[in-house]
Amino acid sequence: MEQVFHFSAPGRVELGGNHTDHQHGCVLAAAVDLETSADVRLTGGGSIRVLSEGYAPVEIPLRDLTPRPEECGTTAALVRGVAAAFAARGAALGGLEVHVRSDVAPGSGLSSSAAFEVLLARVLNALFCGGRLSPIELAQISQRAENVYFGKPCGLMDQLVSSMGGLVYIDFADPAQPAAERVSFDFSHCGHALCIVSCGADHANLTADYAAIPDELARVCAVFGKTYLREVDEDAFYAAIPQLRKAVGDRAVVRAIHFYNDCRRAAALCDAVRADDMDTFLKLIVEGGHSSFEFNQNAYSIKAPQEQGVPLALALSQKVLNGRGAWRLQGGGFAGTIQAFVPLALLETYKNAIDAVFGAGSCHVLSVRNYGAVMVTPDM
């Protein structure tokens, strides 16, 4: 009987450190119980064939794994990029057929692309590398596929959280060896539900908006002869603002201010979790949301100012919760989703208010998943 292998990788929510990872900053994020999963069989052929529900099949010959510009922004680019990394490490890759299912919706802000990349990396690691690569290495392979092959200049956070699982605090000062710490915490005992609101727009086609953030921060860094904002002394940055305004423009300056503040906020959120201090945790979540909206300016695309699902969902959350719980934009921003920590006593009221505007089922209640990308075995 033909053997079929089963794999799973989670989506993620970012709690603190919005757009800080690509500048070697700090984040607090959590894997969630939405997953991308796959049934995999060895074919003995010379290609990887991916069949994803709702999408056309993708087949990548293993004889040529160099980047192809025409594949930018496609699933084929991610498959080719992940496979290339394993081939470069000496893995004797063989043919696969990979049947993929996902409840991590593309463009949702829950990192569907990272979950897919990490899932595929976990498959190749298990079947062709004896499982010897670490979760950090699998995340780095996945990030490179997205940066070099897919064409999106993301940081490492999404992939690392999907690879590791749980609630994770990460310091990216050395991205080759990020300091990642699992933090133990159970949101359910705090009387709040973690909700994700689908705002009715897909951010998958907003790569240019997303890329403008690291591009502008790179221009700030260049004034100081540095590559990443983590390398630029904060006091020196503030002293140079008059010159920076002329050199890089005001938006780059305020986005840099967000970076410094949100790195500190990620660390403070982690401290609040360790101290079981929910009041401080919720206060910091709201502060981070305001910083993302006002300073990082990734609540909507200036190319389509009439489409403001994220600001609308935030405004509704603020009205319904009225100083209780917390709310903020989720992930890369510009569209997609927001997150909210909703007191259990208000959960039905909140869900009804959200669904009345964005449609039935727009509010999803999630749990933290305490394990990352895995091969699923009968005893799990």
Side-chain angles (χ1 to χ4, degrees), residues 32-371:
V32 295
D33 59 347
L34 295 178
E35 67 172 2
T36 299
S37 60
D39 298 329
V40 182
R41 66 181 185 89
L42 298 165
T43 64
S47 65
I48 296 176
R49 180 174 169 82
V50 177
L51 300 100
S52 298
E53 291 183 353
Y55 296 89
V58 171
E59 188 161 356
I60 301 299
L62 295 171
R63 65 179 180 274
D64 179 12
L65 297 174
T66 56
R68 295 190 177 182
E70 68 272 17
E71 288 181 348
C72 279
T74 68
T75 300
L78 298 177
V79 176
R80 194 182 300 275
V82 172
F86 279 88
R89 285 167 169 77
L93 299 177
L96 295 176
E97 188 165 278
V98 185
H99 292 258
V100 178
R101 299 172 303 280
S102 185
D103 46 21
V104 186
S108 67
L110 299 175
S111 282
S112 59
S113 59
F116 175 77
E117 298 151 9
V118 169
L119 177 75
L120 185 57
R122 186 67 182 84
V123 169
L124 300 185
N125 189 38
L127 299 183
F128 301 111
C129 276
R132 63 181 173 82
L133 299 187
S134 70
I136 289 178
E137 290 174 294
L138 298 182
Q140 290 167 331
I141 284 171
S142 302
Q143 181 203 21
R144 185 177 185 276
E146 189 152 350
N147 290 170
V148 177
Y149 284 72
F150 189 85
K152 184 175 181 179
C154 66
L156 186 60
M157 175 187 67
D158 297 350
Q159 293 84 357
L160 188 51
V161 176
S162 182
S163 188
M164 289 183 63
L167 183 65
V168 189
Y169 176 73
I170 314 169
D171 186 334
F172 289 105
D174 179 5
Q177 290 295 327
E181 175 190 357
R182 291 278 299 271
V183 185
S184 178
F185 189 69
D186 180 8
F187 288 113
S188 62
H189 86 280
C190 293
H192 289 76
L194 169 58
C195 297
I196 295 296
V197 174
S198 299
C199 302
D202 186 340
H203 74 191
N205 295 320
L206 295 169
T207 297
D209 295 87
Y210 181 101
I213 297 175
D215 287 348
E216 290 179 7
L217 297 181
R219 291 168 58 201
V220 172
C221 295
V223 173
F224 297 91
K226 304 295 184 182
T227 306
Y228 300 101
L229 207 53
R230 182 67 175 268
E231 303 167 335
V232 178
D233 178 77
E234 187 176 2
D235 290 338
F237 161 79
Y238 274 99
I241 284 179
Q243 293 77 35
L244 288 169
R245 295 184 67 195
K246 297 175 183 177
V248 302
D250 288 344
R251 189 172 72 169
V253 171
V254 294
R255 282 176 162 170
I257 290 172
H258 164 80
F259 167 83
Y260 289 115
N261 290 341
D262 228 32
C263 282
R264 275 191 295 274
R265 200 157 20 239
L269 278 162
C270 188
D271 289 342
V273 167
R274 292 192 186 104
D276 201 12
D277 183 353
M278 195 64 177
D279 289 341
T280 298
F281 178 87
L282 295 172
K283 176 176 176 286
L284 291 167
I285 291 288
V286 173
E287 286 181 3
H290 282 297
S291 182
S292 292
F293 198 144
E294 297 163 16
F295 298 161
N296 207 40
Q297 300 180 37
N298 59 326
Y300 62 92
S301 172
I302 60 172
K303 295 182 296 187
Q306 72 281 4
E307 297 176 10
Q308 297 201 17
V310 165
L312 178 56
L314 292 171
L316 290 172
S317 299
Q318 181 171 308
K319 181 180 187 302
V320 174
L321 297 180
N322 191 26
R324 292 164 287 180
W327 53 94
R328 54 158 279 181
L329 66 80
Q330 160 63 32
F334 299 108
T337 59
I338 71 160
Q339 68 179 240
F341 289 89
V342 180
L344 296 180
L346 285 176
L347 183 57
E348 285 306 309
T349 299
Y350 182 77
K351 289 175 64 177
N352 290 338
I354 291 296
D355 287 355
V357 174
F358 293 103
S362 296
C363 180
H364 312 273
V365 180
L366 303 182
S367 298
V368 175
R369 170 168 147 165
N370 288 318
Y371 56 95

